[in-house]
mmCIF file of all heavy atoms in Angstrom:
data_model
loop_
_atom_site.group_PDB
_atom_site.id
_atom_site.type_symbol
_atom_site.label_atom_id
_atom_site.label_comp_id
_atom_site.label_asym_id
_atom_site.label_seq_id
_atom_site.Cartn_x
_atom_site.Cartn_y
_atom_site.Cartn_z
ATOM 1 N N ILE A 9 0.832 -1.203 -0.001
ATOM 2 C CA ILE A 9 -0.005 -0.004 -0.009
ATOM 3 C C ILE A 9 0.859 1.276 0.002
ATOM 4 O O ILE A 9 0.481 2.279 -0.600
ATOM 5 C CB ILE A 9 -0.985 0.012 1.182
ATOM 6 C CG1 ILE A 9 -2.029 1.114 0.987
ATOM 7 C CG2 ILE A 9 -0.272 0.142 2.520
ATOM 8 C CD1 ILE A 9 -3.203 1.057 1.932
ATOM 9 N N GLN A 10 2.036 1.235 0.630
ATOM 10 C CA GLN A 10 2.882 2.418 0.614
ATOM 11 C C GLN A 10 3.353 2.730 -0.793
ATOM 12 O O GLN A 10 3.373 3.890 -1.211
ATOM 13 C CB GLN A 10 4.083 2.196 1.552
ATOM 14 C CG GLN A 10 3.728 2.218 3.029
ATOM 15 C CD GLN A 10 4.920 1.910 3.894
ATOM 16 O OE1 GLN A 10 5.697 0.994 3.609
ATOM 17 N NE2 GLN A 10 5.080 2.656 4.988
ATOM 18 N N GLN A 11 3.719 1.692 -1.546
ATOM 19 C CA GLN A 11 4.164 1.904 -2.915
ATOM 20 C C GLN A 11 3.022 2.420 -3.798
ATOM 21 O O GLN A 11 3.199 3.281 -4.637
ATOM 22 C CB GLN A 11 4.723 0.594 -3.486
ATOM 23 C CG GLN A 11 6.003 0.131 -2.827
ATOM 24 C CD GLN A 11 5.769 -0.674 -1.553
ATOM 25 O OE1 GLN A 11 4.678 -0.677 -0.985
ATOM 26 N NE2 GLN A 11 6.810 -1.368 -1.118
ATOM 27 N N ARG A 12 1.811 1.898 -3.549
ATOM 28 C CA ARG A 12 0.657 2.362 -4.304
ATOM 29 C C ARG A 12 0.367 3.824 -3.998
ATOM 30 O O ARG A 12 0.035 4.608 -4.903
ATOM 31 C CB ARG A 12 -0.577 1.498 -3.982
ATOM 32 C CG ARG A 12 -1.859 1.911 -4.704
ATOM 33 C CD ARG A 12 -1.648 1.947 -6.215
ATOM 34 N NE ARG A 12 -2.889 2.338 -6.913
ATOM 35 C CZ ARG A 12 -2.890 2.911 -8.124
ATOM 36 N NH1 ARG A 12 -1.742 3.162 -8.771
ATOM 37 N NH2 ARG A 12 -4.049 3.232 -8.692
ATOM 38 N N ALA A 13 0.506 4.201 -2.751
ATOM 39 C CA ALA A 13 0.295 5.598 -2.377
ATOM 40 C C ALA A 13 1.282 6.525 -3.086
ATOM 41 O O ALA A 13 0.899 7.611 -3.562
ATOM 42 C CB ALA A 13 0.409 5.760 -0.862
ATOM 43 N N GLN A 14 2.510 6.094 -3.186
ATOM 44 C CA GLN A 14 3.531 6.914 -3.852
ATOM 45 C C GLN A 14 3.178 7.084 -5.336
ATOM 46 O O GLN A 14 3.345 8.183 -5.895
ATOM 47 C CB GLN A 14 4.908 6.272 -3.700
ATOM 48 C CG GLN A 14 5.461 6.326 -2.293
ATOM 49 C CD GLN A 14 5.567 7.753 -1.771
ATOM 50 O OE1 GLN A 14 6.011 8.663 -2.474
ATOM 51 N NE2 GLN A 14 5.164 7.961 -0.524
ATOM 52 N N VAL A 15 2.696 6.023 -5.974
ATOM 53 C CA VAL A 15 2.307 6.112 -7.383
ATOM 54 C C VAL A 15 1.164 7.105 -7.555
ATOM 55 O O VAL A 15 1.176 7.942 -8.464
ATOM 56 C CB VAL A 15 1.916 4.725 -7.919
ATOM 57 C CG1 VAL A 15 1.283 4.837 -9.311
ATOM 58 C CG2 VAL A 15 3.129 3.804 -7.968
ATOM 59 N N LEU A 16 0.157 7.025 -6.694
ATOM 60 C CA LEU A 16 -0.982 7.955 -6.797
ATOM 61 C C LEU A 16 -0.580 9.401 -6.574
ATOM 62 O O LEU A 16 -1.109 10.309 -7.217
ATOM 63 C CB LEU A 16 -2.061 7.553 -5.783
ATOM 64 C CG LEU A 16 -2.809 6.250 -6.049
ATOM 65 C CD1 LEU A 16 -3.749 5.918 -4.898
ATOM 66 C CD2 LEU A 16 -3.618 6.348 -7.354
ATOM 67 N N LYS A 17 0.399 9.612 -5.704
ATOM 68 C CA LYS A 17 0.823 10.975 -5.380
ATOM 69 C C LYS A 17 1.607 11.641 -6.503
ATOM 70 O O LYS A 17 1.703 12.885 -6.549
ATOM 71 C CB LYS A 17 1.641 10.973 -4.095
ATOM 72 C CG LYS A 17 0.795 10.724 -2.849
ATOM 73 C CD LYS A 17 1.615 10.357 -1.624
ATOM 74 C CE LYS A 17 2.565 11.440 -1.209
ATOM 75 N NZ LYS A 17 3.275 11.093 0.047
ATOM 76 N N ARG A 18 2.138 10.852 -7.424
ATOM 77 C CA ARG A 18 2.931 11.441 -8.518
ATOM 78 C C ARG A 18 2.111 12.392 -9.370
ATOM 79 O O ARG A 18 2.636 13.392 -9.877
ATOM 80 C CB ARG A 18 3.483 10.315 -9.407
ATOM 81 C CG ARG A 18 4.613 9.502 -8.746
ATOM 82 C CD ARG A 18 5.013 8.360 -9.651
ATOM 83 N NE ARG A 18 5.894 7.426 -8.980
ATOM 84 C CZ ARG A 18 6.156 6.196 -9.400
ATOM 85 N NH1 ARG A 18 5.609 5.762 -10.535
ATOM 86 N NH2 ARG A 18 6.969 5.413 -8.713
ATOM 87 N N SER A 19 0.846 12.086 -9.526
ATOM 88 C CA SER A 19 -0.019 12.948 -10.380
ATOM 89 C C SER A 19 -1.050 13.720 -9.547
ATOM 90 O O SER A 19 -2.032 14.216 -10.108
ATOM 91 C CB SER A 19 -0.729 12.098 -11.431
ATOM 92 O OG SER A 19 -1.496 11.089 -10.801
ATOM 93 N N ALA A 20 -0.798 13.837 -8.243
ATOM 94 C CA ALA A 20 -1.772 14.462 -7.355
ATOM 95 C C ALA A 20 -1.424 15.911 -7.080
ATOM 96 O O ALA A 20 -0.241 16.296 -7.128
ATOM 97 C CB ALA A 20 -1.834 13.703 -6.035
ATOM 98 N N THR A 21 -2.425 16.712 -6.803
ATOM 99 C CA THR A 21 -2.200 18.054 -6.303
ATOM 100 C C THR A 21 -1.705 17.980 -4.843
ATOM 101 O O THR A 21 -1.813 16.923 -4.225
ATOM 102 C CB THR A 21 -3.497 18.868 -6.332
ATOM 103 O OG1 THR A 21 -4.431 18.297 -5.386
ATOM 104 C CG2 THR A 21 -4.127 18.875 -7.721
ATOM 105 N N PRO A 22 -1.154 19.046 -4.285
ATOM 106 C CA PRO A 22 -0.731 18.989 -2.884
ATOM 107 C C PRO A 22 -1.858 18.556 -1.932
ATOM 108 O O PRO A 22 -1.623 17.771 -1.033
ATOM 109 C CB PRO A 22 -0.269 20.416 -2.613
ATOM 110 C CG PRO A 22 0.214 20.904 -3.934
ATOM 111 C CD PRO A 22 -0.726 20.294 -4.929
ATOM 112 N N LYS A 23 -3.066 19.053 -2.181
ATOM 113 C CA LYS A 23 -4.177 18.654 -1.296
ATOM 114 C C LYS A 23 -4.507 17.180 -1.487
ATOM 115 O O LYS A 23 -4.757 16.442 -0.524
ATOM 116 C CB LYS A 23 -5.425 19.480 -1.567
ATOM 117 C CG LYS A 23 -6.570 19.107 -0.634
ATOM 118 C CD LYS A 23 -7.832 19.851 -0.922
ATOM 119 C CE LYS A 23 -8.950 19.522 0.066
ATOM 120 N NZ LYS A 23 -9.175 18.058 0.182
ATOM 121 N N GLN A 24 -4.532 16.719 -2.737
ATOM 122 C CA GLN A 24 -4.793 15.307 -2.982
ATOM 123 C C GLN A 24 -3.708 14.425 -2.354
ATOM 124 O O GLN A 24 -4.016 13.365 -1.803
ATOM 125 C CB GLN A 24 -4.879 15.048 -4.486
ATOM 126 C CG GLN A 24 -6.119 15.633 -5.165
ATOM 127 C CD GLN A 24 -6.052 15.549 -6.669
ATOM 128 O OE1 GLN A 24 -4.960 15.522 -7.263
ATOM 129 N NE2 GLN A 24 -7.204 15.542 -7.310
ATOM 130 N N ALA A 25 -2.461 14.859 -2.449
ATOM 131 C CA ALA A 25 -1.373 14.098 -1.838
ATOM 132 C C ALA A 25 -1.539 14.003 -0.323
ATOM 133 O O ALA A 25 -1.298 12.945 0.295
ATOM 134 C CB ALA A 25 -0.017 14.723 -2.178
ATOM 135 N N ALA A 26 -1.967 15.120 0.292
ATOM 136 C CA ALA A 26 -2.210 15.104 1.731
ATOM 137 C C ALA A 26 -3.352 14.157 2.078
ATOM 138 O O ALA A 26 -3.307 13.447 3.094
ATOM 139 C CB ALA A 26 -2.508 16.522 2.225
ATOM 140 N N ASP A 27 -4.381 14.132 1.234
ATOM 141 C CA ASP A 27 -5.510 13.220 1.459
ATOM 142 C C ASP A 27 -5.076 11.762 1.337
ATOM 143 O O ASP A 27 -5.545 10.909 2.096
ATOM 144 C CB ASP A 27 -6.638 13.516 0.479
ATOM 145 C CG ASP A 27 -7.365 14.829 0.749
ATOM 146 O OD1 ASP A 27 -7.222 15.339 1.877
ATOM 147 O OD2 ASP A 27 -8.040 15.324 -0.170
ATOM 148 N N ILE A 28 -4.208 11.494 0.378
ATOM 149 C CA ILE A 28 -3.697 10.125 0.212
ATOM 150 C C ILE A 28 -2.917 9.714 1.455
ATOM 151 O O ILE A 28 -3.079 8.583 1.963
ATOM 152 C CB ILE A 28 -2.832 10.039 -1.047
ATOM 153 C CG1 ILE A 28 -3.703 10.202 -2.295
ATOM 154 C CG2 ILE A 28 -2.070 8.704 -1.108
ATOM 155 C CD1 ILE A 28 -2.930 10.411 -3.590
ATOM 156 N N ASP A 29 -2.066 10.590 1.947
ATOM 157 C CA ASP A 29 -1.298 10.277 3.170
ATOM 158 C C ASP A 29 -2.235 10.059 4.365
ATOM 159 O O ASP A 29 -2.001 9.151 5.188
ATOM 160 C CB ASP A 29 -0.309 11.403 3.480
ATOM 161 C CG ASP A 29 0.886 11.410 2.550
ATOM 162 O OD1 ASP A 29 1.202 10.343 1.987
ATOM 163 O OD2 ASP A 29 1.497 12.482 2.391
ATOM 164 N N SER A 30 -3.273 10.881 4.472
ATOM 165 C CA SER A 30 -4.214 10.737 5.554
ATOM 166 C C SER A 30 -4.949 9.391 5.476
ATOM 167 O O SER A 30 -5.103 8.704 6.494
ATOM 168 C CB SER A 30 -5.219 11.883 5.534
ATOM 169 O OG SER A 30 -6.225 11.724 6.514
ATOM 170 N N ALA A 31 -5.374 9.015 4.282
ATOM 171 C CA ALA A 31 -6.058 7.749 4.116
ATOM 172 C C ALA A 31 -5.131 6.570 4.406
ATOM 173 O O ALA A 31 -5.545 5.604 5.050
ATOM 174 C CB ALA A 31 -6.617 7.644 2.695
ATOM 175 N N LEU A 32 -3.907 6.670 3.953
ATOM 176 C CA LEU A 32 -2.914 5.639 4.231
ATOM 177 C C LEU A 32 -2.772 5.430 5.745
ATOM 178 O O LEU A 32 -2.800 4.296 6.237
ATOM 179 C CB LEU A 32 -1.571 5.989 3.600
ATOM 180 C CG LEU A 32 -0.394 5.070 3.910
ATOM 181 C CD1 LEU A 32 -0.652 3.663 3.364
ATOM 182 C CD2 LEU A 32 0.906 5.657 3.338
ATOM 183 N N GLY A 33 -2.614 6.533 6.461
ATOM 184 C CA GLY A 33 -2.482 6.429 7.904
ATOM 185 C C GLY A 33 -3.698 5.811 8.546
ATOM 186 O O GLY A 33 -3.602 4.996 9.478
ATOM 187 N N ARG A 34 -4.863 6.226 8.086
ATOM 188 C CA ARG A 34 -6.097 5.706 8.678
ATOM 189 C C ARG A 34 -6.227 4.188 8.480
ATOM 190 O O ARG A 34 -6.731 3.474 9.346
ATOM 191 C CB ARG A 34 -7.292 6.427 8.052
ATOM 192 C CG ARG A 34 -8.614 6.141 8.709
ATOM 193 C CD ARG A 34 -9.682 7.095 8.180
ATOM 194 N NE ARG A 34 -10.976 6.811 8.768
ATOM 195 C CZ ARG A 34 -12.097 7.422 8.435
ATOM 196 N NH1 ARG A 34 -12.051 8.388 7.499
ATOM 197 N NH2 ARG A 34 -13.242 7.121 8.996
ATOM 198 N N LEU A 35 -5.765 3.701 7.333
ATOM 199 C CA LEU A 35 -5.889 2.283 7.032
ATOM 200 C C LEU A 35 -4.868 1.404 7.723
ATOM 201 O O LEU A 35 -5.146 0.230 8.012
ATOM 202 C CB LEU A 35 -5.796 2.061 5.519
ATOM 203 C CG LEU A 35 -6.963 2.598 4.680
ATOM 204 C CD1 LEU A 35 -6.654 2.463 3.188
ATOM 205 C CD2 LEU A 35 -8.255 1.864 5.002
ATOM 206 N N VAL A 36 -3.676 1.949 8.012
ATOM 207 C CA VAL A 36 -2.593 1.065 8.497
ATOM 208 C C VAL A 36 -2.081 1.415 9.879
ATOM 209 O O VAL A 36 -1.449 0.570 10.526
ATOM 210 C CB VAL A 36 -1.398 1.034 7.509
ATOM 211 C CG1 VAL A 36 -1.872 0.664 6.119
ATOM 212 C CG2 VAL A 36 -0.662 2.351 7.474
ATOM 213 N N ASP A 37 -2.322 2.624 10.382
ATOM 214 C CA ASP A 37 -1.696 3.020 11.642
ATOM 215 C C ASP A 37 -2.279 2.241 12.832
ATOM 216 O O ASP A 37 -3.430 1.795 12.808
ATOM 217 C CB ASP A 37 -1.860 4.515 11.894
ATOM 218 C CG ASP A 37 -0.878 5.350 11.074
ATOM 219 O OD1 ASP A 37 -0.029 4.742 10.394
ATOM 220 O OD2 ASP A 37 -0.985 6.584 11.100
ATOM 221 N N GLY A 38 -1.465 2.157 13.870
ATOM 222 C CA GLY A 38 -1.809 1.371 15.032
ATOM 223 C C GLY A 38 -2.874 1.954 15.939
ATOM 224 O O GLY A 38 -3.392 1.253 16.815
ATOM 225 N N GLU A 39 -3.245 3.208 15.740
ATOM 226 C CA GLU A 39 -4.226 3.825 16.632
ATOM 227 C C GLU A 39 -5.662 3.600 16.165
ATOM 228 O O GLU A 39 -6.600 3.986 16.855
ATOM 229 C CB GLU A 39 -3.948 5.321 16.726
ATOM 230 C CG GLU A 39 -2.609 5.683 17.348
ATOM 231 C CD GLU A 39 -2.464 5.127 18.766
ATOM 232 O OE1 GLU A 39 -3.437 5.216 19.545
ATOM 233 O OE2 GLU A 39 -1.388 4.573 19.074
ATOM 234 N N GLY A 40 -5.845 3.026 14.982
ATOM 235 C CA GLY A 40 -7.213 2.904 14.484
ATOM 236 C C GLY A 40 -7.440 1.614 13.736
ATOM 237 O O GLY A 40 -7.193 0.516 14.238
ATOM 238 N N MET A 41 -7.879 1.745 12.473
ATOM 239 C CA MET A 41 -8.262 0.571 11.688
ATOM 240 C C MET A 41 -7.110 -0.388 11.488
ATOM 241 O O MET A 41 -7.309 -1.588 11.355
ATOM 242 C CB MET A 41 -8.817 1.014 10.316
ATOM 243 C CG MET A 41 -10.063 1.873 10.388
ATOM 244 S SD MET A 41 -10.618 2.429 8.750
ATOM 245 C CE MET A 41 -11.419 0.945 8.147
ATOM 246 N N GLY A 42 -5.895 0.141 11.470
ATOM 247 C CA GLY A 42 -4.739 -0.706 11.170
ATOM 248 C C GLY A 42 -4.562 -1.860 12.133
ATOM 249 O O GLY A 42 -4.102 -2.928 11.729
ATOM 250 N N THR A 43 -4.930 -1.650 13.402
ATOM 251 C CA THR A 43 -4.788 -2.743 14.377
ATOM 252 C C THR A 43 -6.123 -3.292 14.839
ATOM 253 O O THR A 43 -6.237 -4.471 15.168
ATOM 254 C CB THR A 43 -3.995 -2.281 15.620
ATOM 255 O OG1 THR A 43 -4.603 -1.086 16.138
ATOM 256 C CG2 THR A 43 -2.551 -1.982 15.250
ATOM 257 N N LEU A 44 -7.155 -2.442 14.910
ATOM 258 C CA LEU A 44 -8.469 -2.934 15.330
ATOM 259 C C LEU A 44 -8.998 -3.967 14.352
ATOM 260 O O LEU A 44 -9.591 -4.972 14.740
ATOM 261 C CB LEU A 44 -9.441 -1.770 15.443
ATOM 262 C CG LEU A 44 -10.874 -2.132 15.834
ATOM 263 C CD1 LEU A 44 -10.919 -2.796 17.201
ATOM 264 C CD2 LEU A 44 -11.776 -0.888 15.817
ATOM 265 N N PHE A 45 -8.747 -3.742 13.054
ATOM 266 C CA PHE A 45 -9.224 -4.694 12.051
ATOM 267 C C PHE A 45 -8.163 -5.757 11.812
ATOM 268 O O PHE A 45 -6.972 -5.484 11.816
ATOM 269 C CB PHE A 45 -9.521 -3.941 10.737
ATOM 270 C CG PHE A 45 -10.827 -3.209 10.768
ATOM 271 C CD1 PHE A 45 -10.953 -2.037 11.496
ATOM 272 C CD2 PHE A 45 -11.917 -3.675 10.076
ATOM 273 C CE1 PHE A 45 -12.169 -1.351 11.537
ATOM 274 C CE2 PHE A 45 -13.125 -3.006 10.108
ATOM 275 C CZ PHE A 45 -13.254 -1.827 10.836
ATOM 276 N N LYS A 46 -8.640 -6.969 11.600
ATOM 277 C CA LYS A 46 -7.783 -8.130 11.383
ATOM 278 C C LYS A 46 -8.113 -8.745 10.026
ATOM 279 O O LYS A 46 -9.200 -8.509 9.467
ATOM 280 C CB LYS A 46 -7.958 -9.180 12.482
ATOM 281 C CG LYS A 46 -7.947 -8.655 13.903
ATOM 282 C CD LYS A 46 -6.621 -8.092 14.301
ATOM 283 C CE LYS A 46 -6.554 -7.794 15.805
ATOM 284 N NZ LYS A 46 -7.545 -6.823 16.278
ATOM 285 N N ALA A 47 -7.204 -9.555 9.512
ATOM 286 C CA ALA A 47 -7.410 -10.247 8.239
ATOM 287 C C ALA A 47 -7.105 -11.719 8.403
ATOM 288 O O ALA A 47 -6.081 -12.095 9.011
ATOM 289 C CB ALA A 47 -6.513 -9.638 7.139
ATOM 290 N N LEU A 48 -7.959 -12.547 7.883
ATOM 291 C CA LEU A 48 -7.835 -14.015 7.922
ATOM 292 C C LEU A 48 -7.942 -14.504 6.486
ATOM 293 O O LEU A 48 -8.828 -14.092 5.734
ATOM 294 C CB LEU A 48 -8.965 -14.615 8.785
ATOM 295 C CG LEU A 48 -9.057 -16.126 8.841
ATOM 296 C CD1 LEU A 48 -7.916 -16.697 9.692
ATOM 297 C CD2 LEU A 48 -10.415 -16.561 9.409
ATOM 298 N N ALA A 49 -7.036 -15.410 6.112
ATOM 299 C CA ALA A 49 -7.081 -16.008 4.780
ATOM 300 C C ALA A 49 -7.469 -17.475 4.909
ATOM 301 O O ALA A 49 -7.000 -18.168 5.807
ATOM 302 C CB ALA A 49 -5.731 -15.886 4.077
ATOM 303 N N LEU A 50 -8.300 -17.931 4.007
ATOM 304 C CA LEU A 50 -8.684 -19.322 3.894
ATOM 305 C C LEU A 50 -8.318 -19.805 2.486
ATOM 306 O O LEU A 50 -8.344 -19.014 1.535
ATOM 307 C CB LEU A 50 -10.196 -19.511 4.118
ATOM 308 C CG LEU A 50 -10.795 -18.868 5.359
ATOM 309 C CD1 LEU A 50 -12.309 -19.007 5.359
ATOM 310 C CD2 LEU A 50 -10.202 -19.482 6.611
ATOM 311 N N ALA A 51 -7.962 -21.061 2.378
ATOM 312 C CA ALA A 51 -7.553 -21.569 1.075
ATOM 313 C C ALA A 51 -7.813 -23.056 0.963
ATOM 314 O O ALA A 51 -7.952 -23.769 1.965
ATOM 315 C CB ALA A 51 -6.069 -21.295 0.847
ATOM 316 N N SER A 52 -7.872 -23.531 -0.272
ATOM 317 C CA SER A 52 -8.048 -24.953 -0.533
ATOM 318 C C SER A 52 -6.813 -25.719 -0.042
ATOM 319 O O SER A 52 -5.707 -25.160 -0.006
ATOM 320 C CB SER A 52 -8.217 -25.197 -2.035
ATOM 321 O OG SER A 52 -9.380 -24.536 -2.511
ATOM 322 N N PRO A 53 -6.973 -26.966 0.348
ATOM 323 C CA PRO A 53 -5.833 -27.775 0.794
ATOM 324 C C PRO A 53 -4.737 -27.770 -0.260
ATOM 325 O O PRO A 53 -4.992 -27.976 -1.438
ATOM 326 C CB PRO A 53 -6.447 -29.168 0.989
ATOM 327 C CG PRO A 53 -7.906 -28.912 1.259
ATOM 328 C CD PRO A 53 -8.264 -27.712 0.419
ATOM 329 N N GLY A 54 -3.512 -27.503 0.194
ATOM 330 C CA GLY A 54 -2.357 -27.507 -0.691
ATOM 331 C C GLY A 54 -2.087 -26.178 -1.382
ATOM 332 O O GLY A 54 -1.074 -26.023 -2.061
ATOM 333 N N PHE A 55 -3.013 -25.209 -1.228
ATOM 334 C CA PHE A 55 -2.796 -23.897 -1.855
ATOM 335 C C PHE A 55 -1.584 -23.200 -1.246
ATOM 336 O O PHE A 55 -0.810 -22.520 -1.951
ATOM 337 C CB PHE A 55 -4.062 -23.043 -1.654
ATOM 338 C CG PHE A 55 -4.010 -21.697 -2.320
ATOM 339 C CD1 PHE A 55 -4.571 -21.490 -3.566
ATOM 340 C CD2 PHE A 55 -3.412 -20.622 -1.696
ATOM 341 C CE1 PHE A 55 -4.531 -20.251 -4.191
ATOM 342 C CE2 PHE A 55 -3.374 -19.350 -2.302
ATOM 343 C CZ PHE A 55 -3.932 -19.179 -3.557
#
């Protein structure tokens, strides 16, 4: 996600770049969704 954020910021205005950074932090930082939310993967046997 960090690399994707950098790609999006290349063509962004300063405000858009700030919004991208804000969204990145909201999704991954430890004070909010980044730790409260968890991810579980399921797969077929042998996958």
Side-chain angles (χ1 to χ4, degrees):
I9 192 169
Q10 289 176 316
Q11 293 85 345
R12 178 56 179 155
Q14 290 302 317
V15 170
L16 290 174
K17 287 164 63 175
R18 288 175 190 164
S19 57
T21 66
K23 182 183 183 306
Q24 289 171 334
D27 289 343
I28 292 168
D29 285 336
S30 175
L32 174 63
R34 189 170 178 184
L35 291 173
V36 306
D37 282 356
E39 297 301 317
M41 298 177 78
T43 53
L44 178 61
F45 283 74
K46 313 294 190 301
L48 175 73
L50 309 174
S52 299
F55 183 96

